Amino acid sequence: GITGGTGCGKTAFLHCIEARGGVGIDCDALYYDLLRTDGALRAALTESFGAVFCPDGSLDRPRLGNLVFSDPDALSCLNAIVYYHMGQKMRALLAEQAGQSRPYFAIDAINLIESGLAGLCDTTVAVLAPKALRLARIMARDGIPEDYARRRIEAQKPDEFYRASCGAVLENSGTPEAFQKTCEQWLQAIK
């Protein structure tokens, strides 16, 4: 299981696993797929938060974010809905992979611990990075303003939570190439 805050580099680690023949499940991508295909998830979000879907059917991320990132109760409600639907889908994906010979099967989830998905994993790895670097990454990646990016980061668990909850920590504070090498070394060590 791979976890850590937004913009830390979890997906970079997942890509390293996939490049070495492993299977990787990006829970962000899975969540957005479920938002398009899972009617029960869409209905639960609409019932709890109102009109959070755009006319084209896509999630209005800024609207939902503004509702939940400043209200802990609303964020807890959102998380409960998402964890339930993601857990069901992840168990189905794991069942599909049973019996296949792969060196790694990895779940990349920002809320790996909180959602209960860590219980499906043999080991958990936190990917951490300095807040300033994370801020720059998510602003560039998601095309969002700084104040919204800061609220997203501040709504998440602090690094200490991940350090205390995970079996290993990989620091991503340098170049992408340096982090790639760190990932490869860690994977070689556990193999």
Side-chain angles (χ1 to χ4, degrees):
I2 304 167
T3 193
T6 186
C8 283
K10 297 179 302 297
T11 302
F13 185 32
L14 189 68
H15 291 315
C16 183
I17 289 168
E18 292 168 337
R20 291 176 160 261
V23 173
I25 303 296
D26 178 341
C27 284
D28 283 345
L30 181 60
Y31 169 63
Y32 289 110
D33 181 57
L34 290 177
L35 284 172
R36 288 188 313 277
T37 63
D38 188 329
L41 171 61
R42 292 174 63 87
L45 291 173
T46 300
E47 181 179 326
S48 295
F49 301 105
V52 293
F53 290 95
C54 298
D56 68 359
S58 65
L59 180 68
D60 187 341
R61 288 182 71 180
R63 177 167 167 61
L64 183 59
N66 285 328
L67 292 171
V68 302
F69 292 139
S70 59
D71 181 347
D73 291 336
L75 184 58
S76 292
C77 178
L78 173 63
N79 286 339
I81 292 167
V82 173
Y83 296 165
Y84 173 77
H85 291 274
M86 291 291 290
Q88 285 188 318
K89 184 63 174 178
M90 190 59 63
R91 284 172 182 78
L93 291 171
L94 285 169
E96 289 173 14
Q97 293 294 320
Q100 293 192 19
S101 178
R102 300 285 190 139
Y104 312 100
F105 185 94
I107 300 170
D108 166 359
I110 198 165
N111 291 319
L112 183 77
I113 308 299
E114 304 93 310
S115 67
L117 292 175
L120 302 174
C121 303
D122 294 326
T123 191
T124 54
V125 180
V127 178
L128 303 178
K131 281 187 181 179
L133 187 54
R134 293 172 59 197
L135 185 66
R137 287 175 182 162
I138 66 171
M139 287 171 58
R141 179 189 72 202
D142 298 341
I144 58 176
E146 184 175 340
D147 64 324
Y148 183 65
R150 281 189 190 284
R151 282 186 286 148
R152 280 180 56 188
I153 289 172
E154 294 305 319
Q156 296 173 352
K157 302 285 186 191
D159 288 355
E160 295 76 30
F161 169 81
Y162 297 109
R163 289 184 194 285
S165 302
C166 294
V169 174
L170 298 180
E171 299 285 347
N172 183 9
S173 57
T175 66
E177 296 78 19
F179 185 60
Q180 175 80 18
K181 186 171 183 165
T182 297
C183 295
E184 290 172 359
Q185 290 171 340
W186 191 83
L187 289 171
Q188 188 60 38
I190 68 163
K191 191 172 182 184

